[in-house]
């Protein structure tokens, strides 16, 4: 591991100022992602700015039925919170299906949405990877790509985003609160991550030094009726081959509102507007759910080893929608 300096921030202002003092600085909170990457020599921060003492760990219920998650709340704390489990079941489920109990006790909500891809070529510094070294190529496109994207990729990068939580946040219309050098911003989660295009090294809309302070879960008609389904190679401590977060507001047998998001299929947590359009105004039945699965996967394309993900996504979508929208 490279030598690096360490500084502890005591408030947001000092965190931002310390970050600005060194172009090679990086934030550290739970450390479950950045320390791994440092050990593998994938990232080489010259200064780690520890933000764990910032007062951003609370989980607060909001008067309108929403919940505000401090960015430093751990995955375990959020998953176990009664209001999150009752009002946003897909969010709690996504966390409990992530990582291991030990990691969930350390990893934070802010870090979770910022985590880097698990593409093996990204983590192997002997391989070509445009995300790690822009312009070096992408070893995955003609390599072992069973885990890779079937939608949203580019000629530069076909990785998948590893976060389960971020997929569930899409189904909850979550808002990411950020503090930067020019002030505070609120970013809807579906505008937070960016597709690789020709700049796969850029993964979010954050500017250098921006600090995530909270993730807000607003009260919506469909949030309470939500479900997170994760399909993976083994039953625990594994990333998704395909995952689905679905939330439906069904009244008198008709879908009034829908959110449909997929994980494991794209370089970003993938919201399917086409799938949602195929649901709203339609009867909540098996035919509608099958049509939504077709709409959500239209245009997906595999790279050989990952072709199976398209049919897998269709079946997972139908199963998740049936869970939240089955006629009672
Ligand atoms: Fe790198 Fe993306 Fe290609 Fe993986 S898919 S090797 S992360 S450029």
């Amino acid at each position: 591991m490279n030598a690096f300096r360490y500084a502890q921030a005591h408030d947001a202002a000092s965190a931002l100022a310390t970050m600005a003092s060194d172009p090679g600085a990086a934030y550290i909170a739970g450390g479950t992602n950045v320390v791994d990457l440092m050990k593998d020599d994938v990232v080489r921060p010259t200064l780690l700015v520890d933000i764990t003492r910032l007062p951003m760990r609370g989980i607060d219920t909001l008067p309108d039925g929403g919940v505000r998650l401090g960015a430093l709340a751990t995955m375990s704390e959020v998953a176990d919170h009664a209001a999150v489990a009752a009002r946003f079941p897909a969010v709690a489920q996504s966390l409990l299906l992530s990582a291991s109990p030990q990691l969930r006790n350390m990893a934070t909500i802010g870090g979770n949405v910022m985590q880097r891809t698990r593409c093996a070529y990204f983590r192997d510094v002997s391989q070509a990877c445009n995300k790690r070294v822009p312009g070096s190529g992408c070893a995955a496109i003609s390599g072992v790509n069973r885990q890779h994207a079937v939608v949203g990729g580019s000629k530069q990068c076909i990785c998948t985003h590893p976060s389960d939580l971020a997929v569930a946040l899409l189904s909850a219309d979550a808002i990411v609160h950020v503090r930067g050098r020019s002030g505070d911003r609120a970013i809807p989660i579906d505008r937070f991550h960016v597709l690789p295009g020709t700049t796969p090294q850029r993964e979010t809309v954050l500017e250098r030094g921006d600090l995530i302070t909270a993730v807000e879960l607003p009260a919506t008609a469909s949030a309470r009726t939500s479900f997170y389904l994760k399909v993976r190679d083994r039953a625990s401590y594994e990333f998704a081959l395909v995952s689905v977060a679905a939330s439906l507001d069904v009244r008198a047998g008709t879908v009034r509102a829908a959110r449909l998001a997929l994980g494991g299929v794209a370089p970003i947590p993938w919201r399917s507007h086409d799938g949602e359009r195929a649901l709203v105004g339609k009867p909540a039945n098996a035919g509608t759910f099958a049509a939504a699965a077709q709409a959500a996967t239209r245009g997906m394309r595999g790279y050989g080893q990952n072709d199976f993900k398209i049919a897998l996504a269709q079946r997972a979508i139908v199963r998740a929608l049936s869970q939240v929208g089955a006629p009672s």
Side-chain angles (χ1 to χ4, degrees), residues 151-168:
V151 67
S154 70
K155 289 179 180 169
Q156 300 270 319
C157 178
I158 58 167
C159 76
T160 50
H161 196 276
S163 171
D164 294 296
L165 172 65
V167 180

Side-chain angles (χ1 to χ4, degrees), residues 3 20 29 43 63 76 86 149 224 227 265 319:
V43 298
S76 297
R224 281 179 185 263
F227 181 67
V265 298
R319 201 169 125 204

Side-chain angles (χ1 to χ4, degrees), residues 56-62 66-73 78 84 88 91 95 108-114 163 165-179 185-190 192-193 206 211-219:
M56 306 191 308
R57 193 161 175 169
I59 302 172
D60 300 312
T61 54
L62 304 175
V67 178
R68 183 179 172 101
L69 313 173
L72 293 175
V78 175
V84 176
F88 304 93
V91 170
L95 290 165
T108 64
I109 295 306
N112 187 289
V113 299
M114 291 295 292
S163 171
L165 172 65
V167 180
L169 293 179
L170 278 174
S171 75
D173 287 346
I175 298 162
V176 183
H177 291 270
V178 172
R179 181 161 300 171
R185 314 196 306 282
I187 305 168
I189 187 70
D190 63 356
F192 183 78
H193 297 94
L206 294 188
L211 181 67
I212 298 176
T213 55
V215 174
E216 182 183 337
L217 306 175

Side-chain angles (χ1 to χ4, degrees), residues 113-176:
V113 299
M114 291 295 292
Q115 64 183 296
R116 312 294 303 277
T117 182
R118 308 304 296 197
C119 172
Y121 300 107
F122 172 70
R123 287 168 182 262
D124 180 346
V125 295
S126 70
Q127 300 288 332
C129 173
N130 288 320
K131 183 181 284 297
R132 181 171 27 78
V133 182
S136 64
C138 172
I141 289 176
S142 58
V144 177
N145 51 41
R146 180 173 179 273
Q147 304 282 348
H148 286 71
V150 289
V151 67
S154 70
K155 289 179 180 169
Q156 300 270 319
C157 178
I158 58 167
C159 76
T160 50
H161 196 276
S163 171
D164 294 296
L165 172 65
V167 180
L169 293 179
L170 278 174
S171 75
D173 287 346
I175 298 162
V176 183

Side-chain angles (χ1 to χ4, degrees), residues 16-68:
L16 293 174
T18 309
M19 274 292 281
S21 72
D22 183 340
Y27 289 126
I28 184 167
T32 55
N33 197 217
V34 71
V35 174
D36 268 1
L37 293 170
M38 289 171 69
K39 285 179 176 172
D40 288 341
D41 206 23
V42 175
V43 298
R44 294 179 160 206
T46 49
L47 169 64
L48 284 182
V49 182
D50 183 344
I51 56 171
T52 52
R53 293 202 178 172
L54 271 59
M56 306 191 308
R57 193 161 175 169
I59 302 172
D60 300 312
T61 54
L62 304 175
D64 67 353
V67 178
R68 183 179 172 101

Side-chain angles (χ1 to χ4, degrees), residues 249-311:
D249 177 20
V250 179
R251 295 185 210 170
T254 298
V255 178
R256 303 292 177 186
R259 288 291 179 271
L260 185 61
L262 304 176
V265 298
I268 60 173
W270 187 258
R271 181 174 169 187
S272 176
H273 293 279
D274 288 342
E276 292 170 5
R277 275 191 287 272
L279 290 162
V280 175
K282 306 288 191 330
N285 60 29
T288 296
F289 301 157
Q294 289 295 323
T297 54
R298 200 167 292 132
M300 287 185 176
R301 151 189 181 225
Y303 291 82
Q305 296 170 18
N306 64 350
D307 294 351
F308 73 97
K309 283 191 175 186
I310 301 167

